[in-house]
Amino acid sequence: MARVLVADDEPGIREFVGDVLRLDDHDVVEAEDGRVAARKLDERGFDLVITDLKMPHLDGLSLVKKVKAEQPEVEIIVMTAHGTVDSAVDAMKLGAFDYLQKPLGGPDELRLVVARAIER
């Protein structure tokens, strides 16, 4: 079981990811934007952060920078519906473990990437 922070401004995606991970007995905290996610990161520790790339108030790349600067042991998965090769490269250079394109392929794809990130 891992402590996972899910940050996405789309309620349906956020709830889907949270529900899938809770079924696997992970402790999941949800955040509706980057600023809320940053506050939650300051309040408690997480093993994994799953973040959308484009969010109001604080975007996913800024969140990746914050996590890696303050808690470098935390793994990060970036998700986006607006993915480009450049944004994927930027996320990985900043320390993201993986980069997922929305819509997600389904619960099994998510579980596989999360399991690999937590294992690391």
Side-chain angles (χ1 to χ4, degrees):
M1 181 172 98
R3 292 177 318 273
V4 183
L5 174 61
V6 178
D8 198 308
D9 59 326
E10 295 178 50
I13 298 288
R14 190 174 62 243
E15 292 165 8
F16 168 77
V17 171
D19 290 348
V20 168
L21 298 181
R22 284 184 192 96
L23 286 172
D24 289 346
D25 292 325
H26 296 295
D27 177 13
V28 180
V29 174
E30 297 177 16
E32 62 270 15
D33 64 42
R35 186 168 40 204
V36 172
R39 188 171 62 243
K40 290 182 183 292
L41 281 161
D42 290 340
E43 293 170 356
R44 65 181 283 200
F46 293 93
D47 302 305
L48 175 66
V49 173
I50 301 175
T51 181
D52 189 13
L53 190 60
K54 295 194 180 214
M55 295 182 290
H57 310 299
L58 186 73
D59 68 13
L61 289 181
S62 297
L63 196 59
V64 171
K65 288 177 192 174
K66 174 182 174 48
V67 171
K68 286 303 175 181
E70 297 173 6
Q71 301 177 41
E73 71 284 357
V74 174
E75 294 298 345
I76 305 163
I77 298 170
V78 175
M79 301 183 297
T80 188
H82 310 285
T84 65
V85 172
D86 289 341
S87 63
V89 169
D90 289 345
M92 301 306 271
K93 280 183 180 177
L94 290 172
F97 173 78
D98 210 339
Y99 184 89
L100 296 175
Q101 185 76 30
K102 292 183 199 175
L104 300 177
D108 291 339
E109 176 189 12
L110 178 62
R111 284 184 174 110
L112 178 65
V113 174
V114 166
R116 285 189 6 237
I118 291 169
E119 235 175 63
R120 191 169 178 201

